[in-house]
Amino acid sequence: MFTSPNVLLWRGLLAVALGAVSVAWPGITINAFVILFAVYAFLTAATDSARAFASDRVGPVFGWLLLAGLSLAGGIVALAWPGITALALTIWIAAWALTTGAMEIALAFQRDETAGERTLYLLTGAVSLVFAFSLFVRPDIGAVSLATVFGLFSLVYGVSAVFASFEERRHQHKASRREPVRA
């Protein structure tokens, strides 16, 4: 179930679904991101508070409570000022896309890939870098535009992951046929 082609396939299908929803309903998508961030911040505050009181020393208690307070404040800010939160998420997503794109391009040259696979990694990495660059240059493009661009990015990324899963499945099948049968 958790073989590499299956993981790629599910990852790709989820990216395609997320992309389709983001393109169809960008306003709902960005509100969902802000709310998910707020929920994450509140859950982090709760777990950090619990860790603070599980410690038997004073230093870690203060540190965990400080982190819990910052997470709580982050969740409140996200809900009180969703526009600022959407801008911060825009910059965060740009940083994520930059890192992901650079890593995919680097991996294309470090693995023993066929020309088609290398091209697929390079294309996906290039799309990530263009996406990151556009968000860093124009972070004011707005949350709706971000959701639409993110949706298109997710669609391209998802489709490439689905094709990569089929390609990897084909390579595994070829490799299994070449191995001698052991008794």
Side-chain angles (χ1 to χ4, degrees), residues 93-163:
I93 290 169
W96 166 79
L98 178 69
T99 304
T100 301
M103 293 297 291
E104 287 174 340
I105 289 172
L107 287 174
F109 292 106
Q110 292 183 359
R111 296 179 64 184
D112 187 26
E113 304 291 347
T114 65
E117 291 169 330
R118 182 167 289 155
T119 301
L120 192 59
Y121 281 119
L122 289 172
L123 176 64
T124 305
V127 168
S128 294
L129 292 178
V130 168
F131 178 60
F133 180 75
S134 67
L135 292 178
F136 279 130
V137 169
R138 295 288 312 259
D140 61 332
I141 63 173
V144 173
S145 297
L146 173 63
T148 304
V149 171
F150 178 73
L152 294 172
F153 166 78
S154 295
L155 287 169
V156 169
Y157 187 84
V159 168
S160 69
V162 168
F163 281 113

Side-chain angles (χ1 to χ4, degrees), residues 28-117:
I28 292 172
T29 301
I30 201 63
N31 287 335
F33 283 149
V34 170
I35 290 169
L36 281 173
F37 174 77
V39 168
Y40 172 77
F42 292 140
L43 289 173
T44 301
T47 58
D48 287 348
S49 296
R51 290 181 81 179
F53 295 110
S55 179
D56 59 349
R57 296 189 322 258
V58 173
V61 171
F62 177 74
W64 288 117
L65 286 177
L66 179 63
L67 287 175
L70 290 172
S71 294
L72 181 64
I76 291 169
V77 165
L79 294 178
W81 295 289
I84 292 171
T85 304
L87 179 62
L89 287 174
T90 301
I91 293 168
W92 182 258
I93 290 169
W96 166 79
L98 178 69
T99 304
T100 301
M103 293 297 291
E104 287 174 340
I105 289 172
L107 287 174
F109 292 106
Q110 292 183 359
R111 296 179 64 184
D112 187 26
E113 304 291 347
T114 65
E117 291 169 330

